[in-house]
């Protein structure tokens, strides 16, 4: 009877030792989210591809204010000024290509591709 208990105990310990799936961290994209960091006067990544229905969040990591402003007319989205560590999010419901820029620093550009 003792060897049977040993097998159960070892089996239980092995089951407990298996790694568990971890949730995605804030910076990782999941099927319904995406992240763009504003750093060194650039949008990173400059082009982000997401699925329709995805929520994209921009986070300003610069010491200067920036905006996230749709280049389309009429504007699909516009963040207003984002100070350091401020964030702006927008949900892209329809497939398409969405170019954007910083209204404070127009040389800063990016594109969201929605499939």
């Amino acid at each position: 009877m003792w060897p049977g208990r040993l097998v159960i105990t070892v089996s239980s310990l092995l089951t407990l030792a298996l790694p568990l799936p971890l949730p995605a961290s804030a910076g990782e994209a999941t099927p319904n989210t995406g992240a763009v960091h504003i750093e060194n006067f650039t949008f990173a990544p400059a082009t982000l591809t997401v699925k329709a229905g995805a929520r994209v969040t921009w986070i300003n990591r610069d010491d200067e204010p920036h905006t996230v402003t749709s280049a389309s007319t009429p504007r699909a989205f516009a963040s207003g000024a984002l100070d350091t560590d401020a964030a702006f999010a927008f949900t892209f419901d329809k497939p398409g290509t969405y170019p954007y820029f910083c209204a404070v620093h127009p040389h800063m550009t990016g594109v969201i591709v929605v499939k």
Side-chain angles (χ1 to χ4, degrees):
M1 189 162 181
W2 185 83
R5 287 186 185 165
L6 180 61
V7 171
I8 292 171
T9 302
V10 170
S11 174
S12 297
L13 290 174
L14 289 175
T15 301
L16 293 175
L18 294 175
L20 298 174
L22 298 175
S25 69
E28 290 181 31
T30 63
N32 291 321
T33 66
V36 177
H37 290 176
I38 304 169
E39 300 175 296
N40 299 316
F41 291 84
T42 62
F43 294 106
T47 301
L48 178 66
T49 301
V50 297
K51 292 183 178 182
R55 181 178 178 88
V56 176
T57 302
W58 289 263
I59 304 167
N60 184 9
R61 298 294 186 209
D62 273 344
D63 290 334
E64 297 291 326
H66 295 291
T67 72
V68 178
T69 306
S70 168
S72 66
T73 304
R75 302 237 187 266
F77 53 89
S79 68
L82 300 174
D83 288 326
T84 303
D85 294 327
F88 169 74
F90 184 80
T91 300
F92 291 87
D93 293 323
K94 297 179 182 176
T97 301
Y98 297 84
Y100 63 92
F101 65 99
C102 172
V104 181
H105 310 98
H107 69 278
M108 295 174 56
T109 61
V111 177
I112 303 297
V113 178
V114 181
K115 296 194 175 207

